[in-house]
Amino acid sequence: MTSWSTSLATLYYGILADAVDWRSFTSGPVVDLGGGNGHVAIDLATRFPSLEFIVQDLLPNESAFKATVPPEPVSRVTYQVQDAFNPQPEDLEPSAYFLKAVFHDWPDIACIQILKILVSKMLKFGSTVIMMDQCLQEGKFPLYFEGVIRHSDIFMFSLFGAKERTLPEWEAMFATAHSRLRLEKAVQPSGSESAVMQFAIT
């Protein structure tokens, strides 16, 4: 993650910022589920001053990271110890959940378990799920690039029983978690292995 955040981060931050109408999520905090040290949340908070973020992870390491960031926007980014497989805090009223490269580490059954937990908040507060993750496009990548992605697919399966997914596979997985959970928007820049996908209860 350190290597990613110091190399490709600038490119992906821009893609993420442009792909979503972030300014619309002001009814409650945006929850960065599995957000690590909060580097994505802090970048988004810098770009969108009207938003507040909660970074959830098992072992949030905010102290060292916050020390390198100016007080603003750190004041709008808080941290919370949270297992994604446990119910979300009862007092949390999120406008959106954001997951960056979380689900490609898990098999469908585990992803669906996490989604079912989030659905209860989505139904109650109209929350949205925004996801940035690998999205395979058959025959649409340069041969070498496709080879890299297929290698990642095998790697994820070997380590975690997980996989990289196509957009129809993402949609099917979300629909399995809840019959009304639908894809609202998907943005995948040309040549990017990652897509930004937005799901809501319809």
Side-chain angles (χ1 to χ4, degrees), residues 123-142:
L123 289 168
K124 187 172 183 178
F125 301 111
S127 311
T128 298
V129 169
I130 301 162
M131 181 177 66
M132 188 175 193
D133 217 319
Q134 301 260 28
C135 190
L136 300 179
Q137 297 188 63
E138 191 71 37
K140 293 188 178 181
F141 292 120

Side-chain angles (χ1 to χ4, degrees), residues 62-91:
E62 72 271 26
S63 299
F65 189 68
K66 278 187 171 183
T68 67
V69 181
E72 175 62 32
V74 164
S75 61
R76 290 183 286 108
V77 180
T78 58
Y79 291 76
Q80 194 172 69
V81 177
Q82 176 68 29
D83 186 337
F85 294 97
N86 288 337
Q88 287 283 299
E90 289 188 8
D91 60 349

